[in-house]
Amino acid sequence: MRFQILLFCTTLLLFFQARAQITQPELDQLFAVFHQVYDSELKAQNAVVVFNLGSPAIDWWGIPDPTASYSGYKDQQGIFQHNIYFFGGLAQFPLMSKDGAAQILCHEMGHAIGGAPYKLNRDHNVSIEPQADYFSTSHCLRRIFSVLPLQKEIKPISAFIQAQCQRKYSGVNDLDWCYRAFQALESERSYLRLVKINPTETNYETPDSSVVDHINLSDEYYPSPQCRMDTLAAGVLQNPRQRCWFAE
């Protein structure tokens, strides 16, 4: 057991000594892409999205927490403001890619406009965590990829994922989208494996087989890491929402 703990800690240290993948200008570029894609749509809804709300007293890039978050409110002019925060600690996570950061931003956007089911006890509609996951890959990410330049070569992350993409898609553009999306999700998989309180390895070949009989609308509810990855994969492949969290 001691050897296993030492091995895990050594592996974790090596990962975190790796070179960060996202710079502050690259994160700003991502914010600009989201504005390009969503501003006109939000304007039609009398809403705006604001990233890392500006304040001379707050250096969001300097905050080491590897987290992102969402909040929203209606201002005095009656415009609904969707605030998305992406801390420097997450941007500088060594296994973060620009595409991976785009997916995480899509998740936060999903809280804003991802639709039902919604969290309980909120004064406005906020999509629950797994719905935000599903929205991120079923609706948002491909729109962002249509504008965001490629960072690296597109290729399947595994033979299993290649088969899944080819089962769903046939055209070159659709296949490239599928492969690129799963490449992006590797940042989330790494985050769940290395940063969370209970690090968990996930595998698309062994999905979460649990079946719920109701949807948990609690503000604190997160499905299992495997269920979350299954949900993200379902969005890429345009499959139904996963029964490990969704019930009709």
Side-chain angles (χ1 to χ4, degrees):
M1 177 63 73
R2 289 181 179 177
F3 174 77
Q4 291 175 328
I5 294 174
L6 178 62
L7 179 63
F8 173 77
C9 291
T10 302
T11 303
L12 187 62
L13 179 61
L14 289 174
F15 273 121
F16 277 85
Q17 287 176 338
R19 180 180 178 274
Q21 296 297 311
I22 298 292
T23 65
Q24 189 167 8
E26 286 174 329
L27 184 59
D28 290 339
Q29 179 194 28
L30 277 172
F31 295 159
V33 167
F34 271 79
H35 282 300
Q36 180 179 344
V37 171
Y38 278 106
D39 275 1
S40 60
E41 178 180 321
L42 291 172
K43 184 178 180 180
Q45 301 170 8
N46 202 31
V48 296
V49 61
V50 178
F51 295 97
N52 286 359
L53 184 64
S55 169
I58 301 176
D59 173 21
W60 297 111
W61 185 259
I63 296 176
D65 292 346
T67 55
S69 63
Y70 164 80
S71 66
Y73 70 96
K74 185 176 289 188
D75 67 18
Q76 294 180 346
Q77 287 72 44
I79 298 173
F80 200 93
Q81 182 165 308
H82 299 293
N83 293 314
I84 293 177
Y85 303 92
F86 198 104
F87 295 168
L90 182 58
Q92 297 169 78
F93 175 61
L95 296 178
M96 185 62 62
S97 68
K98 191 153 59 173
D99 281 0
Q103 184 274 314
I104 292 171
L105 286 169
C106 276
H107 168 91
E108 301 305 331
M109 183 68 77
H111 284 308
I113 60 172
Y118 297 115
K119 294 184 177 186
L120 292 176
N121 303 319
R122 293 293 188 107
D123 58 5
H124 63 280
N125 290 333
V126 178
S127 300
I128 63 173
E129 298 297 336
Q131 177 62 24
D133 279 338
Y134 190 69
F135 171 87
S136 75
T137 51
S138 64
H139 290 83
C140 174
L141 193 58
R142 189 164 187 173
R143 294 180 66 182
I144 298 301
F145 281 177
S146 70
V147 178
L148 184 66
L150 278 173
Q151 185 180 30
K152 62 180 181 179
E153 177 189 2
I154 297 175
K155 59 183 179 180
I157 63 170
S158 70
F160 177 80
I161 291 302
Q162 182 175 17
Q164 294 296 305
C165 289
Q166 291 178 348
R167 186 173 294 117
K168 182 66 181 183
Y169 301 110
S170 57
V172 172
N173 290 340
D174 287 339
L175 284 171
D176 279 351
W177 141 250
C178 192
Y179 298 152
R180 184 179 179 182
F182 277 104
Q183 283 180 320
L185 292 181
E186 288 300 281
S187 292
E188 180 72 14
R189 288 186 69 208
S190 298
Y191 179 80
L192 292 172
R193 182 170 68 247
L194 296 175
V195 178
K196 287 293 187 180
I197 295 174
N198 297 310
T200 304
E201 186 67 59
T202 59
N203 189 332
Y204 295 116
E205 298 184 46
T206 54
D208 189 325
S209 60
S210 60
V211 176
V212 300
D213 57 13
H214 70 282
I215 300 173
N216 188 334
L217 302 178
S218 167
D219 194 41
E220 296 80 22
Y221 171 64
Y222 286 85
S224 73
Q226 184 63 56
C227 181
R228 293 194 67 186
M229 295 311 303
D230 297 341
T231 298
L232 291 165
V236 175
L237 298 168
Q238 296 295 300
N239 291 334
R241 288 171 285 191
Q242 299 300 102
R243 292 301 308 277
C244 52
W245 69 270
F246 186 74
E248 296 292 347

